[in-house]
Amino acid sequence: MPASVHKAALVLDLFSVERPDWGPTEVADELRIAKSTAHALLGELTSVGLTERLPCGRYRLGWRTLGLARTKLATSGYREEITPTARRLASHFGETVHITAWERGRVLYVASERPPGGVAAPAEPVAAQLTPPGTVLLAERASGTGSGLEPGELERTRRRGYAVGAQRALEGVDCAAAPVRTSDGPATAALALCAPRNRFQARRDEYTRAIAGAGDRIARSVRR
């Protein structure tokens, strides 16, 4: 990856719900680059619509990022298969179902079907080893070395095709997750049914069977 593209990606990674706007000096300090380089990167990103400059001189994400996200969702099997499946599961069980994606070693919560009383998603991408959807996605592409998971856990997850456990990014929440394959190669998305621990444990086996079966059905449908 060219250095300029890599640096631009690092700039985009800075923007979050908690911190939606950045100034050039802050970007330079955070990424340990020259202020002139930060200015140039923000200017280039703004010229193609990925960021926009506010009247105060700070920057936030541009509308083009939303367009790119919509294109991704519309062309990856999400709209036709994954989203309806998540909606049916959430309606049937009365629990939240998250659609997640692999994002450079982290889990990105793409969308959630959240019925009344359902749990929320983490606001930001979460380290893969902290969540069941992260475990199933990590199992698709790693041996476990340096993953922070117990030895053999990724292999067991690969064999079973699902992961069950605590959503360690949120207190008192458990999840069952399964990979969703929309193409050849390692899965880049997963479904996760999550609930408060007391409710989840009462129906653990039922939730696990449902989420594992949903992942298999989506994979077969997309590959037809």
Side-chain angles (χ1 to χ4, degrees):
M1 178 186 296
S4 58
V5 175
H6 179 67
K7 288 179 180 177
L10 293 178
V11 172
L12 292 174
D13 280 345
L14 295 177
F15 295 90
S16 67
V17 175
E18 288 76 19
R19 194 167 178 182
D21 56 83
W22 287 75
T25 300
E26 295 168 330
V27 170
D29 290 344
E30 187 73 19
L31 300 182
R32 298 181 181 180
I33 59 178
K35 186 176 178 180
S36 59
T37 302
H39 265 293
L41 288 168
L42 288 164
E44 286 296 320
L45 290 168
T46 298
S47 72
V48 295
L50 294 175
T51 59
E52 61 182 18
R53 189 176 186 274
L54 303 174
C56 63
R58 298 173 69 79
Y59 292 80
R60 65 184 176 193
L61 290 178
W63 287 107
R64 189 172 181 184
T65 58
L66 180 59
L68 292 171
R70 292 168 99 176
T71 299
K72 174 64 176 176
L73 291 174
T75 57
S76 303
Y78 286 89
R79 179 177 296 173
E80 297 83 2
E81 301 293 341
I82 302 177
T83 299
T85 298
R87 188 172 298 124
R88 286 193 296 271
L89 286 170
S91 176
H92 179 74
F93 291 111
E95 303 289 4
T96 299
V97 177
H98 300 300
I99 301 170
T100 66
W102 178 261
E103 213 277 314
R104 290 173 291 169
R106 301 178 298 174
V107 175
L108 177 66
Y109 285 74
V110 176
S112 299
E113 293 295 331
R114 185 184 181 189
V119 299
E124 296 297 326
V126 177
Q129 65 269 26
L130 297 180
T131 70
T135 299
V136 296
L137 292 171
L138 194 58
E140 293 277 310
R141 51 186 45 78
S143 63
T145 305
S147 69
L149 297 172
E150 295 180 7
E153 185 172 352
L154 293 182
E155 181 57 35
R156 289 193 296 271
T157 299
R158 269 192 290 269
R159 290 198 306 267
R160 293 183 306 192
Y162 62 85
V164 183
Q167 161 60 289
R168 283 175 279 176
L170 295 172
E171 187 175 354
V173 174
D174 286 351
C175 301
V180 175
R181 294 178 179 82
T182 57
S183 61
D184 293 332
T188 58
L191 281 177
L193 192 157
C194 300
R197 184 156 296 136
N198 61 332
R199 295 206 307 250
F200 186 93
Q201 291 303 323
R203 304 179 72 179
R204 175 188 172 110
D205 291 344
E206 187 179 2
Y207 288 169
T208 300
R209 287 193 298 270
I211 208 72
D216 288 341
R217 286 193 299 275
I218 290 170
R220 289 197 300 270
S221 179
V222 169
R223 292 183 175 189
R224 276 199 306 242

